[in-house]
Amino acid sequence: MPDRKRVILFKKKDTDDKYNQLLLKHHFEPEFIPVLDHKLINIDAIKAIIQNGPNREQLCAMVLTSQRSVEAINEAYKELTRLDQHVRDEWNSLPIYIVGPQTAEALAQLPLFRDTNHDGHWTVAPRASELIKSFSAQHLDSTVLFLAGDKRREIIPEALSAAHISLREIKSYVTCAHPDLANRIKQDDKTLLQADWTVYFSPSGLKFLLDQLDDKTRFLANSNIASIGPTTSDYITNELGYQVQVEAEKPDAEHLVQAILNYSKK
């Protein structure tokens, strides 16, 4: 059997990690380096909004761009002692605009939204630039609630402003470097340059990673680059000026590994 190609994934290795399983199955050698950590914030404010409900808060829609914001909703909901049924019904009939199918899947698993058909109420797009096309098509009044992270881009606020839609933004989490990142990079500095593939999952993760590297150019140019989706690809290509060899058609392990396999067969 030929030597296994080395793949470094800049993410936390999950329990029963599918990326790990599929890469091993196809004779790659995966290694995981977590780059990001998150801290949920403003949970009390989000809890009050959930308890009051969209009507009382004068909300006509909600925008979510990250699974971290879903975690913040869940954390706030868990702190509630009770929620009136009519308020629960309001949340389940509220239009919600979501970036990423995984974010939508995570939201659907929350007790507040579980066991409810959201067809016609939820709009899901792979990235913010595609999601905003839905805003102008909707005759929205009142206010849109945007639960955002501290690293969020201006795309959604600018699109809502252009459509004359009122925005209420609450930061639900802050992003920071993983506490182990500097140590891992120092330990693995030489072996990082020997990877056949490097896999990136977000622009913010890449920024924190590059801050730890002495030789950024050599590092990015030294391996094939795989991206989990278009936002990350755009950042690597347009902001950093490097070519992305493969981009996952959908942001999951199956599509990412398949993209690497297809490229390797060329």
Side-chain angles (χ1 to χ4, degrees):
M1 181 182 295
D3 291 340
R4 289 175 177 261
K5 298 289 187 181
R6 198 154 168 268
V7 181
I8 297 180
L9 301 96
F10 289 99
K11 70 178 286 292
K12 175 186 175 185
K13 183 180 179 182
D14 298 322
T15 305
D16 299 323
D17 196 289
K18 290 184 179 180
Y19 293 94
N20 188 59
Q21 294 170 2
L22 287 173
L23 286 167
L24 288 173
K25 177 183 176 182
H26 292 287
H27 311 297
F28 291 97
E29 181 186 341
E31 180 181 345
F32 294 80
I33 298 180
V35 292
L36 293 179
D37 206 1
H38 301 91
K39 180 182 178 183
L40 303 180
I41 60 174
N42 292 322
I43 298 302
D44 284 346
I46 296 169
K47 181 172 72 172
I49 292 170
I50 293 174
Q51 189 154 37
N52 288 335
N55 290 353
R56 188 173 169 188
E57 292 285 337
Q58 296 185 315
L59 302 177
C60 61
M62 178 164 64
V63 177
L64 300 170
T65 59
S66 167
Q67 293 181 63
R68 305 290 87 77
S69 290
V70 174
E71 291 173 13
I73 292 172
N74 191 44
E75 189 66 28
Y77 180 82
K78 287 193 300 185
E79 293 186 8
L80 292 173
T81 54
R82 65 185 295 272
L83 188 67
D84 292 338
Q85 186 59 47
H86 77 275
V87 173
R88 188 182 303 274
D89 293 341
E90 287 176 18
W91 283 111
N92 279 280
S93 61
L94 183 74
I96 303 180
Y97 297 85
I98 305 166
V99 174
Q102 290 185 322
T103 304
E105 289 171 13
L107 188 67
Q109 294 303 312
L110 297 193
L112 179 59
F113 296 101
R114 196 184 298 151
D115 303 323
T116 303
N117 186 348
H118 302 105
D119 290 348
H121 298 301
W122 291 10
T123 302
V124 184
R127 52 181 161 182
S129 59
E130 308 227 351
L131 189 69
I132 61 175
K133 297 173 185 176
S134 308
F135 295 154
S136 58
Q138 301 288 333
H139 299 289
L140 298 175
D141 52 11
S142 301
T143 299
V144 171
L145 174 67
F146 182 20
L147 298 186
D150 61 319
K151 306 295 183 186
R152 70 113 173 101
R153 299 161 75 189
E154 294 293 335
I155 293 174
I156 287 175
E158 287 177 354
L160 290 170
S161 176
H164 306 291
I165 299 170
S166 176
L167 173 67
R168 179 179 179 187
E169 180 177 346
I170 295 180
K171 283 189 171 55
S172 58
Y173 66 96
V174 292
T175 306
C176 52
H178 192 278
D180 235 11
L181 178 60
N183 188 46
R184 284 294 304 274
I185 295 300
K186 186 177 180 180
Q187 286 179 344
D188 300 342
D189 187 42
K190 291 182 180 178
T191 56
L192 285 175
L193 297 174
Q194 299 168 3
D196 296 285
W197 285 92
T198 48
V199 184
Y200 303 101
F201 292 83
S202 71
S204 55
L206 244 170
K207 291 173 188 174
F208 282 120
L209 172 64
L210 293 177
D211 283 343
Q212 300 295 332
L213 292 169
D214 294 327
D215 194 345
K216 299 175 177 61
T217 302
R218 186 178 168 206
F219 174 78
L220 284 165
N222 202 59
S223 68
N224 289 317
I225 294 175
S227 158
I228 196 59
T231 302
T232 304
S233 295
D234 289 349
Y235 179 75
I236 294 170
T237 303
N238 300 329
E239 299 296 327
L240 301 179
Y242 289 90
Q243 182 179 355
V244 175
Q245 275 69 43
V246 303
E247 177 188 303
E249 189 175 335
K250 293 183 180 179
D252 57 37
E254 289 81 0
H255 288 86
L256 180 86
V257 174
Q258 190 58 56
I260 291 175
L261 288 170
N262 292 344
Y263 185 89
S264 299
K265 291 174 183 175
K266 291 181 179 179

